[in-house]
Amino acid sequence: MSRLLILGATGGTGAALVRQALEAGHEVSAFARTPASIPVPHHERLRALRGDIMDAEQVSRAVSGHDAVLSAVGSRGLGPTRVYSEGVANVLRAMKEHRVRRLIAVTSAGVGEDQQSALWFRVLVKPLLRNRYSDMQRMEEAVRQSDVAWTVVRPPKLTDGRLTKDYRASVDHLPMGGYFFAGPTISREDVAHFMLSQIDGDEYLHKAVVVTY
C-alpha cells in the first residue's frame, strides 16, 4: 500500500479519492484549507492537513514523506484564476525537493482544441469557462515540462453518480462519438477510481487521458 497525498480533498472528486483510497488500504493525507470540511469519517489511516495550495511552504511540508500526489484541486467562479498553474508549480517544486515521483492530476476534457467537440460546446461552454481552461492549460504545460512521473486526467462533465468501474480511457481526446451526439459525462467516483488505478501502473505515464462513459 502507498502513502498518498490528496489535494483538493473537500471537493467531490477529492472526497471520492480519500474514501476509495482508504477502502483500498492506503495511508492518506488529505490537504485542504478547511480540513473539517472533508466529508469522510475519521479513520486511523487518514491524516487531515490544513493548508493552501498557493502557499509553497505549506505544500512542501504536506508533500514530504509520501509516495504519490493526487490532485483534484478546483476553482470557483468564472473569473481569472491561477490556482491550477501556481498550485501545481508549488507541488512540482515540493516533489523535487522531497524526491516524490508520482503525480496524478485532474484538469478537464475541455482543455485544448478537440475537433470532436460539438459546435455548442466550442461556442457556448468554452468561452464561458475560458479562464479556468486557460489556467488548466498552463498547469498541464508545467507538468509536461517537469521530470516527475505524471499522468493528467481529463474528465468531461462530472456527475454525482455511483461508482461503476465501467468507463473508457483515451489518450488526449474524447473517444469517437465524443461531443458530437450528446455531452459525455463521468461520475466523480469513477474518476477517482481511475486515478487510484494509475498509482502503480505505467500505461498512461506521461500522458493526458480522457475518461468517460
Side-chain angles (χ1 to χ4, degrees):
M1 294 297 103
S2 300
R3 295 166 296 175
L4 306 179
L5 173 64
I6 296 175
L7 309 174
T10 56
T13 303
L17 279 169
V18 172
R19 189 165 49 248
Q20 291 185 37
L22 290 171
E23 290 172 356
H26 298 292
E27 294 183 14
V28 177
S29 296
F31 184 82
R33 284 181 294 181
T34 54
S37 298
I38 298 171
V40 177
H42 293 293
H43 194 286
E44 62 181 3
R45 283 183 278 105
L46 173 62
R47 182 170 61 131
L49 302 177
R50 183 184 302 277
D52 187 338
I53 196 170
M54 303 296 278
D55 187 310
E57 290 187 8
Q58 292 178 351
V59 172
S60 178
R61 288 195 295 269
V63 167
S64 177
H66 291 91
D67 300 313
V69 177
L70 291 86
S71 174
V73 170
S75 66
R76 296 179 180 177
L78 301 177
T81 181
R82 302 288 297 188
V83 69
Y84 300 100
S85 58
E86 292 187 12
V88 84
N90 289 334
V91 171
L92 292 171
R93 280 194 295 268
M95 291 179 70
K96 182 176 182 178
E97 177 186 0
H98 298 292
R99 299 181 180 181
V100 178
R101 291 286 298 154
R102 193 70 172 106
L103 172 65
I104 305 167
V106 172
T107 58
S108 170
V111 174
E113 287 298 325
D114 188 344
Q115 297 305 312
Q116 295 188 66
S117 299
L119 181 62
W120 64 265
F121 181 82
R122 297 197 301 269
V123 173
L124 298 176
V125 178
K126 292 201 75 167
L128 182 67
L129 300 177
R130 64 186 182 279
N131 290 312
R132 188 177 303 174
Y133 288 156
S134 293
D135 199 38
M136 286 181 177
Q137 184 69 52
R138 291 189 289 268
M139 170 185 168
E140 287 197 9
E141 290 170 359
V143 170
R144 289 178 188 274
Q145 293 170 12
S146 74
D147 59 1
V148 302
W150 60 269
T151 298
V152 168
V153 182
R154 292 173 166 179
K157 182 180 179 181
L158 292 166
T159 75
D160 292 325
R162 64 184 179 85
L163 174 65
T164 70
K165 304 181 184 179
D166 184 16
Y167 46 76
R168 296 178 291 168
S170 179
V171 175
D172 292 325
H173 301 296
L174 283 166
M176 289 304 293
Y179 286 145
F180 273 133
F181 305 106
T185 65
I186 189 168
S187 72
R188 295 174 174 85
E189 294 287 341
D190 278 329
V191 172
H193 180 268
F194 176 79
M195 293 175 72
L196 289 167
S197 74
Q198 300 307 304
I199 292 171
D200 298 316
D202 59 6
E203 180 179 1
Y204 297 109
L205 198 62
H206 299 146
K207 299 286 194 303
V209 186
V210 175
V211 286
T212 187
Y213 296 136

